[in-house]
């Protein structure tokens, strides 16, 4: 009798299976701030920032730095005005 085993299944059986372990740590504090200006579709600015830290004190410090950056970014964005449509 002849052996009719599929050679491709033999090749897969011989390959080792790799196991990966992922460690997720949800320890610490996350703060998100969202700034929104305007209400119209074409007259609206929205900026979102998020900080993560191990302690609330660290997160607050990082948020203070981020808030200053977002403030400057918002000031720059306000300087960009849409062109008036020509009729």
């Amino acid at each position: 009798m002849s052996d009719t085993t599929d050679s491709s299944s033999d090749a897969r059986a011989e390959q080792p299976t790799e196991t990966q372990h992922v460690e997720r740590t949800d320890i610490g504090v996350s703060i998100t701030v969202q700034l929104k200006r305007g209400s119209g579709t074409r007259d609206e600015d929205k900026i979102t920032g998020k900080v993560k830290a191990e302690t609330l004190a660290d997160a607050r410090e990082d948020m203070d730095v981020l808030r200053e950056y977002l403030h400057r970014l918002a000031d720059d964005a306000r300087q960009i005005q849409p062109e008036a449509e020509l009729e």
Side-chain angles (χ1 to χ4, degrees), residues 1 4 7 9 14 16 33-34 36 38 40 59 61 66-67 70 72 77-81 83:
M1 288 189 153
T4 59
S7 63
S9 63
E14 292 175 9
V33 64
Q34 187 175 57
K36 183 177 175 184
E61 286 181 29
L66 180 62
R67 188 180 298 118
L70 291 178
R72 287 192 307 269
R78 286 186 199 109
Q79 300 306 313
I80 302 170
Q81 296 298 321
E83 297 281 327

Side-chain angles (χ1 to χ4, degrees), residues 10-29:
D10 287 342
R12 278 182 273 160
E14 292 175 9
Q15 293 178 349
T17 303
E18 182 179 337
T19 303
Q20 295 182 355
H21 297 279
V22 177
E23 183 177 334
R24 182 176 170 173
T25 56
D26 289 334
I27 298 171
V29 178

